[in-house]
Amino acid sequence: IGPFQNVFLQECDRMNVLQAEMMRSLLELEMGFRGELTMSDAMEQLGDSLFSGVVPSTWVRYAYPSMRPLTSWLADLAMRFQQLSDWTSNPLEIPVTTWLSGIFNPQSFLTAIMQVCAQTDSLELDKLTILTEPTKRTAEAIDTHAREGCYVHGFALEGAHWDTPSGNLESSLPREMFCDMPVIQCKAVVIEDGGHANTYMCPVYKTSERRGMLSTTGHSTNFILFVRVPSDKPRSEERRVGKE
């Protein structure tokens, strides 16, 4: 069992807890409809949420951050479940490209990348950081593992457009709110000092909601990492990446 397997087990545990709560609450509500149980406030709130197409608050408590309505949330949940199911068929290997948006705790997966590098190259973990390199391929076009680090996908760019042929950040196209990013290679490197010319350090969030509680680093709890993207635009022009 290595760092990636630990992440995989934690993800399975959280998915099992979420599904157990969903099944328990739905069964309880069904028994209430049949008259086998007295309808409680929690059961009525669950029924109201389902009728209104809103994710019930009791499910949100155990779920991942999301701003989706119930219908698309359930479809998203099924895709997350499928990724974990695919992992169980061969738990000693990770997918050739991981759907980072489909993980409860994406930071833990990025930490695992650094842990593997630290173990392989005998480096100190606290001196490593994640280097991101956008590719020109989609997830469907990836058929082999990255030589260094891992391939991840599932990012959407907000407030800008990604030009795949040139591999450069551009201004948004007319009436374009979001732009899908290609597969991104994440690998661990030793922390460097100083900036990088012609690049924009684009913040990545779990959802398009950027406000909320602040972590010990001063970032929103929705914040994941900075993705380094090539750009010839002035730094004063804000670019953002959201995940949903």
Side-chain angles (χ1 to χ4, degrees):
I1 296 180
F4 289 119
Q5 285 68 42
N6 286 329
V7 173
F8 159 73
L9 292 173
Q10 292 169 6
E11 292 291 315
C12 287
D13 285 341
R14 294 191 62 173
M15 180 63 77
N16 288 335
V17 169
L18 172 59
Q19 290 196 325
E21 171 58 25
M22 293 174 65
M23 294 175 64
R24 181 204 65 77
S25 60
L26 289 173
L27 178 60
E28 185 180 69
L29 181 62
E30 182 183 14
M31 295 176 67
F33 286 152
R34 294 201 303 259
E36 298 176 8
L37 287 177
T38 302
M39 291 291 290
S40 64
D41 291 341
M43 294 162 64
E44 290 183 358
Q45 291 174 4
L46 173 62
D48 291 342
S49 296
L50 297 177
F51 180 79
S52 302
V54 178
V55 182
S57 58
T58 54
W59 299 1
V60 172
R61 186 182 310 150
Y62 299 102
Y64 38 86
S66 178
M67 300 178 66
R68 297 174 181 269
L70 181 61
T71 301
S72 61
W73 185 87
L74 290 173
D76 181 70
L77 176 67
M79 293 171 59
R80 292 168 181 263
F81 182 85
Q82 186 60 51
Q83 176 167 247
L84 291 178
S85 297
D86 292 341
W87 278 4
T88 60
S89 63
N90 188 7
L92 295 182
E93 282 194 19
I94 61 172
V96 291
T97 173
T98 300
W99 180 34
L100 197 64
S101 305
I103 295 180
F104 281 82
N105 185 9
Q107 291 94 326
S108 64
F109 185 84
L110 298 174
T111 300
I113 295 176
M114 294 190 293
Q115 289 174 332
V116 170
C117 178
Q119 295 171 2
T120 303
D121 299 335
S122 299
L123 299 172
E124 298 180 34
L125 184 62
D126 60 355
K127 293 184 179 180
L128 296 177
T129 188
I130 291 293
L131 176 66
T132 55
E133 295 181 353
T135 69
K136 295 185 178 182
R137 293 181 288 176
T138 62
E140 293 75 18
I142 301 293
D143 54 7
T144 58
H145 289 85
R147 294 183 179 180
E148 294 183 77
C150 299
Y151 289 128
V152 299
H153 65 278
F155 296 88
L157 186 67
E158 179 184 6
H161 176 77
W162 179 256
D163 185 67
T164 299
S166 65
N168 198 54
L169 194 66
E170 304 288 347
S171 299
S172 297
L173 300 179
R175 295 184 294 277
E176 180 185 54
M177 294 184 63
F178 297 95
C179 173
D180 289 336
M181 288 288 289
V183 170
I184 296 176
Q185 182 179 1
C186 295
K187 56 184 179 181
V189 296
V190 178
I191 297 176
E192 300 177 358
D193 295 328
H196 299 269
N198 299 322
T199 59
Y200 173 70
M201 300 303 291
C202 191
V204 179
Y205 299 90
K206 296 177 182 177
T207 72
S208 57
E209 176 60 57
R210 297 168 188 82
R211 299 182 298 274
M213 297 177 60
L214 297 180
S215 65
T216 55
T217 61
H219 293 298
S220 166
T221 51
N222 256 343
F223 176 79
I224 300 175
L225 81 162
F226 285 101
V227 170
R228 182 183 302 168
V229 290
S231 174
D232 56 4
K233 302 296 182 183
R235 291 179 177 269
S236 59
E237 295 186 22
E238 184 180 7
R239 302 290 185 267
R240 298 187 295 251
V241 167
K243 284 190 58 189
E244 282 194 318

